[in-house]
Amino acid sequence: MPADFPPEPWDLCGRGWLTVSTAPRSAVPPPPPGVVPLTLFGHVVVVSAFVDYTPPGLLSYRELMTAVVVRRGFRLGVTITDIWVDDETSRAGARAMWGIPKEIADFTLVAEPGLTADAHGIAGADERPRRAPGLPAWITTSVWQTLGDDTRRTRLRTTARVRPTRLRWRVTSGGALGWLTHTRPRLHLAVTNLRMRFGSP
């Protein structure tokens, strides 16, 4: 029987809003076996983001995710700790091929003039846009997740334009992302012209 999701790689397009934070290592969910959080003075680097994937990408859906910067030896990458989407195809494919623990959530996302986003019952974010030029960014990295009994490495290649912004996150302390209340925001970015290739042929 054919799978009910497209094979890798997935070429996706869209825009996003993210915050880079630091947190005590004890506050962060444990990573997959074989990788360790990148720790600086007892703190780890956390990325939290809302993403809006749109045509002409392979799939169109909205996403809320958190990830921790990790290393395997001298190779840096990320582990996705929590993630929700509003598309069942995205959920099924990510779980089966890469071990990404996607769950389904209901989203509201309005991006003009600034972001107002909610993954209902989980978290939200509000943007106060800044007048700042966008700069090109290119990132090639690894995503490590637990798949079955193994730690699976998946390649991620991204191009985009990024600009600084201001985000205020709304997180329930006792909810699924309650651990984010222990983070300290360091940088907020708005991402446009996002093009992402996830996985390998």
Side-chain angles (χ1 to χ4, degrees):
M1 293 291 292
D4 56 354
F5 48 82
E8 60 179 335
W10 285 6
D11 290 312
L12 303 172
C13 301
R15 54 187 174 174
W17 299 262
L18 65 88
T19 297
V20 180
S21 306
T22 55
R25 182 168 178 174
S26 60
V28 174
V35 299
V36 295
L38 179 67
T39 304
L40 303 171
F41 305 107
H43 287 71
V44 300
V45 180
V46 177
V47 179
S48 49
F50 275 96
V51 187
D52 184 21
Y53 295 107
T54 58
L58 177 68
L59 298 174
S60 297
Y61 60 95
R62 289 165 292 187
E63 177 178 280
L64 166 64
M65 59 83 68
T66 61
V68 174
V69 178
V70 296
R71 64 177 178 85
R72 191 170 194 171
F74 294 105
R75 176 177 283 168
L76 294 180
V78 297
T79 289
I80 297 171
T81 58
D82 305 276
I83 184 167
W84 292 266
V85 297
D86 61 358
D87 179 77
E88 182 57 42
T89 300
S90 172
R91 175 188 180 276
R95 281 177 166 266
M97 292 189 292
W98 308 307
I100 297 175
K102 290 186 178 181
E103 299 287 357
I104 294 293
D106 292 322
F107 284 77
T108 299
L109 192 152
V110 179
E112 300 298 339
L115 174 73
T116 300
D118 281 282
H120 297 294
I122 303 165
D126 302 297
E127 180 189 20
R128 289 186 296 161
R130 296 174 57 183
R131 293 183 178 273
L135 298 174
W138 301 266
I139 298 175
T140 298
T141 191
S142 299
V143 179
W144 281 291
Q145 303 294 142
T146 299
L147 183 61
D149 296 328
D150 298 321
T151 297
R152 168 71 184 267
R153 173 180 174 258
T154 302
R155 192 176 183 192
L156 172 62
R157 288 154 286 182
T158 300
T159 64
R161 292 189 69 84
V162 300
R163 60 171 174 80
T165 191
R166 290 165 290 195
L167 289 173
R168 182 178 64 86
W169 284 82
R170 293 175 274 106
V171 178
T172 303
S173 60
L177 288 182
W179 64 272
L180 285 182
T181 60
H182 300 287
T183 63
R184 181 177 179 182
R186 302 290 183 176
L187 177 66
H188 306 285
L189 295 173
V191 181
T192 57
N193 302 105
L194 174 65
R195 292 186 176 273
M196 176 187 300
R197 171 164 284 192
F198 203 96
S200 302

